[in-house]
Amino acid sequence: KLCAGLLLHRYDLYRAGKLDSNATRVESNVRLRFKEIQRSKEKLTSHVTREEFQEAFCELCTRPDVYFLLVQLSKDRECLDPQDLRLFLETEQGLSLATTEGCWELLRRYEPSAQGREMGLMGIDGFARYLQSPECQLLDPEHQGVCQDMNMPLSHYYISTSYRSYLLDDQVHGRADLGGLIKALQAGCRCLELGITDGPEGEPLLGVDLGPDIPLTIRSALEVINKYAFLTSQYPLLIYLCHRCTPSQQRVMAQHLKKVFGTRLYTPEALPVTLGGRATTLPSPEQLKGRVLIVGKKLPSELDDSDGEVSEEDEEIGGGGPLAGRRMTIPGEEELGVVLVVPPPSQPRKLRLHKELSDLVSIVRTGSRSFYAQRATFKLAQQHSESPEDLVMFTKRTLTRVRPSSVRLDSSNPNPQGYWKGGVQLVALNQQTPGAMLDLHRGRFSQNGGCGFVLRPAVMRDEVSYFSAHTQGCVPGVPPQTLRVISAHNLPKPQGSGAKGEVIDPYVVLELHGVPADCAEQRTRTAAQNQDDPLFDETFEFQVRTPRSLLFSKYTLSHVFLQFQNLIIIT
């Protein structure tokens, strides 16, 4: 009666629209199995006994791949003792330091049966619980906390960076929403860009005043940032100011910064570090724990007036260089043939900057011309042909930032991997726009405890080293990376696919993201009409040349539907 009542309750939920099609498909399988059991016993009643419920439960909830592995390890005993578990950890999981005492601890932690724990045996349920626990994730358990050296200069780290993630919809007509800033900080972002404009009654606004909507003041944005700044990570937060406010409203902005952040606001007594400064002059994340740093334009130190002029050039790598005069397709309108002609660079605009705001800036923002000037000085390449090697040399000494192009009006994101492999520390993405590019970003910064700082490879930090993004052939000491795709379980149908049939035909695509020589893609066979327990059991090899710059992605696809699951793993 209890089982029948639960099933009827779930049916009522489905009728009310509170269960998705995947849940109802599972329910149908349960009903069908009960009917088969009762038919095999020639029962005339629909009541389900305890024994029948246990039989159906064990059959429906036991994963075949886990069961076969358990039987293989236990030599047909259908349970594991500590020695069997240790053999599994050493041979299959690669844990050469596994001990019998550690296996006893795993058994006591994951075996649900009190009798099994007393006898020192792990059954199918305990084994399945262990395999699906965080201890068996592909991400190195060490990276669940901060595990990298945090005492190096800021320029030695990749830094999780947000680009105007407070904008809803697009970059032109999108209204500002503080929820975007909260989500970015909760996701571990350590650099936020704020676009600030003059507002009514002398109060600066976040974004642009779009009329009927209530505008957001910069004061309210700063208060939200201060509240959530260090809940996810204790390491420094960079606030990138992008404004064209009048000096009077800049002064108001400076007062808000000091009042809201208080002692958290970092204002160095010595001269501030420029984005072109030597890496050794930058403090470390450990030194700046719990501090807020302002990135922006700064007046010369010898200026005595209350305000002065600074250049307001485009800070984007490529700005004023290879984009000039190029015809570019507007994202999302390729089929319509709409293009945008980027005009040649004009002279840098001038901005009146108030000294009170200038004094709060601890990292000075310069433009992309510093990159082209330094590259020309060292004669690293011909003009307008920048390469990853050029950027790596530049970023060894410089804290560098790139952002989505101005033609990305739809708040779409570029591929961050292309900039990471060049050593760029601050690759700003629209955190409000989901997709493969944001998944790569989240994969990168899931390392090091998700603190928002990831140490760059040594070849991008050491002064005496050479990096090539086009390395070919095998690198001595770097064996091929082997990956075995075993199975999946209870895959959901993609949203909105109810009219396409009851089951899907899943397969797994494996992608390796890194330098061009490392980029690769492979896929499994298709498990026809099996989304409950598709079994693949295929092994793949990837030749890796620069392991530290890699991201590995795995996602499940169907022949009929688009991608519906995406998981990023760091190798």
Side-chain angles (χ1 to χ4, degrees):
K1 290 182 179 180
L2 175 61
C3 178
L6 288 173
L7 290 175
L8 289 174
H9 175 63
R10 289 178 59 82
Y11 180 71
D12 292 338
L13 290 177
Y14 170 65
R15 291 289 299 274
K18 296 181 180 179
L19 285 180
D20 58 23
S21 59
N22 192 59
T24 57
R25 180 183 54 79
V26 174
E27 180 180 330
S28 299
N29 292 341
V30 173
R31 289 181 180 273
L32 179 62
R33 184 54 192 148
F34 281 138
K35 290 181 180 179
E36 290 174 349
I37 292 175
Q38 292 171 341
R39 189 181 302 114
S40 66
K41 297 181 179 181
E42 298 182 351
K43 290 181 60 177
L44 299 179
T45 177
S46 60
H47 292 290
V48 178
T49 65
R50 180 185 183 90
E51 291 73 18
E52 291 168 347
F53 180 84
Q54 290 178 335
E55 180 181 350
F57 178 84
C58 291
E59 180 176 333
L60 291 169
C61 297
T62 299
R63 294 181 57 172
D65 50 336
V66 176
Y67 175 76
F68 292 145
L69 178 60
L70 177 76
V71 171
Q72 179 184 358
L73 292 170
S74 63
K75 302 179 180 61
D76 298 330
R77 288 183 301 153
E78 298 190 7
C79 58
L80 301 175
D81 60 28
Q83 291 301 326
D84 296 330
L85 191 56
R86 181 177 180 180
L87 178 65
F88 167 72
L89 295 178
E90 292 176 342
T91 59
E92 295 290 341
Q93 303 296 79
L95 301 178
S96 57
L97 300 180
T99 63
T100 302
E101 293 77 12
C103 293
W104 270 99
E105 175 60 28
L106 290 177
L107 194 150
R108 287 189 288 265
R109 191 184 313 164
Y110 292 104
E111 173 55 42
S113 165
Q115 183 179 5
R117 292 193 297 270
E118 291 176 3
M119 298 176 61
L121 297 174
M122 178 181 283
I124 182 64
D125 293 332
F127 191 44
R129 288 177 62 184
Y130 168 67
L131 291 178
Q132 297 177 74
S133 71
E135 294 191 42
C136 290
Q137 289 182 354
L138 287 182
L139 182 66
D140 189 344
E142 185 182 20
H143 281 275
Q144 293 179 1
V146 176
C147 59
Q148 297 177 340
D149 185 359
M150 303 301 287
N151 292 294
M152 294 188 180
L154 285 177
S155 58
H156 286 355
Y157 299 85
Y158 294 120
I159 303 174
S160 180
T161 306
S162 164
Y163 176 69
R164 302 191 182 184
S165 296
Y166 52 84
L167 289 179
L168 302 178
D169 303 321
D170 58 54
Q171 295 289 315
V172 178
H173 303 101
R175 59 183 179 86
D177 181 75
L178 296 178
L181 292 174
I182 296 174
K183 290 180 181 178
L185 290 170
Q186 289 175 335
C189 285
R190 295 288 87 196
C191 180
L192 300 177
E193 176 174 331
L194 301 181
I196 307 167
T197 57
D198 281 342
E201 301 178 1
E203 185 67 31
L205 299 180
L206 179 66
V208 181
D209 188 354
L210 296 177
D213 294 322
I214 300 176
L216 293 177
T217 63
I218 189 61
R219 173 65 182 263
S220 62
L222 295 177
E223 288 174 344
V224 166
I225 292 173
N226 187 54
K227 180 179 179 180
Y228 291 90
F230 302 104
L231 296 183
T232 300
S233 172
Q234 288 297 310
Y235 290 100
L237 175 67
L238 281 63
I239 297 183
Y240 190 94
L241 296 182
C242 184
H243 68 89
R244 293 187 179 90
C245 299
T246 58
S248 61
Q249 297 214 11
Q250 292 176 32
R251 185 171 182 272
V252 174
M253 193 191 316
Q255 294 171 348
H256 288 334
L257 287 168
K258 289 186 286 187
K259 186 171 183 179
V260 171
F261 292 121
T263 57
R264 286 180 170 180
L265 191 61
Y266 179 77
T267 52
E269 296 179 1
L271 293 177
V273 176
T274 66
L275 291 179
R278 299 289 293 181
T280 53
T281 62
L282 287 169
S284 70
E286 188 66 32
Q287 291 174 309
L288 296 172
K289 255 187 174 180
R291 305 302 293 273
V292 176
L293 284 73
I294 304 300
V295 183
K297 293 291 184 177
K298 193 171 185 70
L299 294 171
S301 57
E302 63 274 9
L303 184 70
D304 295 327
D305 297 335
S306 61
D307 59 68
E309 281 192 345
V310 293
S311 64
E312 183 66 7
E313 62 177 283
D314 186 1
E315 74 278 9
E316 182 183 17
I317 289 294
L323 291 183
R326 180 181 298 177
R327 294 172 61 86
M328 304 186 68
T329 303
I330 296 178
E333 303 201 16
E334 293 87 349
E335 296 181 358
L336 300 179
V338 179
V339 298
L340 178 68
V341 178
V342 181
S346 58
Q347 291 298 320
R349 291 170 293 188
K350 296 295 182 179
L351 172 71
R352 297 295 300 181
L353 184 62
H354 197 281
K355 191 175 187 303
E356 190 170 346
L357 180 60
S358 172
D359 290 343
L360 301 182
V361 172
S362 53
I363 299 180
V364 180
R365 175 166 65 91
T366 62
S368 59
R369 285 176 174 79
S370 61
F371 166 67
Y372 291 112
Q374 180 164 323
R375 190 186 61 181
T377 301
F378 290 101
K379 298 180 180 180
L380 296 175
Q382 295 181 354
Q383 191 177 8
H384 303 345
S385 60
E386 64 266 15
S387 65
E389 291 81 4
D390 297 346
L391 271 177
V392 168
M393 292 298 296
F394 185 72
T395 57
K396 284 182 180 181
R397 306 171 179 86
T398 309
L399 191 62
T400 308
R401 172 185 176 271
V402 297
R403 60 172 174 80
S405 170
S406 300
V407 300
R408 292 183 178 272
L409 305 180
D410 58 350
S411 297
S412 59
N413 287 315
N415 188 343
Q417 186 65 29
Y419 299 102
W420 287 329
K421 72 185 181 186
V424 175
Q425 300 93 340
L426 299 157
V427 181
L429 295 185
N430 291 290
Q431 300 289 321
Q432 74 275 34
T433 306
M437 300 304 102
L438 190 59
D439 288 338
L440 288 174
H441 177 275
R442 290 172 176 168
R444 169 71 67 191
F445 292 102
S446 64
Q447 299 180 84
N448 204 25
C451 72
F453 287 81
V454 174
L455 195 63
R456 299 193 306 165
V459 72
M460 295 182 179
R461 307 192 310 263
D462 298 340
E463 286 293 326
V464 183
S465 63
Y466 175 72
F467 168 80
S468 175
H470 304 286
T471 301
Q472 298 293 333
C474 298
V475 177
V478 182
Q481 301 297 303
T482 301
L483 184 70
R484 182 184 177 193
V485 180
I486 302 176
S487 62
H489 178 63
N490 199 24
L491 296 176
K493 292 178 65 176
Q495 186 175 5
S497 61
K500 295 291 185 178
E502 289 299 320
V503 294
I504 61 175
D505 303 325
Y507 59 93
V508 178
V509 177
L510 309 174
E511 292 180 353
L512 201 63
H513 301 268
V515 299
D518 283 337
C519 292
E521 177 180 314
Q522 299 189 59
R523 59 154 288 179
T524 67
R525 62 177 178 81
T526 299
Q529 296 190 354
N530 187 351
Q531 66 190 82
D532 293 326
D533 295 292
L535 183 64
F536 304 102
D537 199 15
E538 297 183 55
T539 301
F540 302 91
E541 280 194 355
F542 293 92
Q543 183 61 53
V544 176
R545 297 161 183 82
T546 53
R548 288 288 185 178
S549 68
L550 290 180
L551 282 173
F552 168 71
S553 65
K554 177 189 72 173
Y555 51 90
T556 311
L557 296 169
S558 163
H559 274 305
V560 179
F561 306 118
L562 298 176
Q563 173 182 334
F564 63 88
Q565 182 179 2
N566 199 344
L567 174 64
I568 303 295
I569 304 163
I570 304 297
T571 58

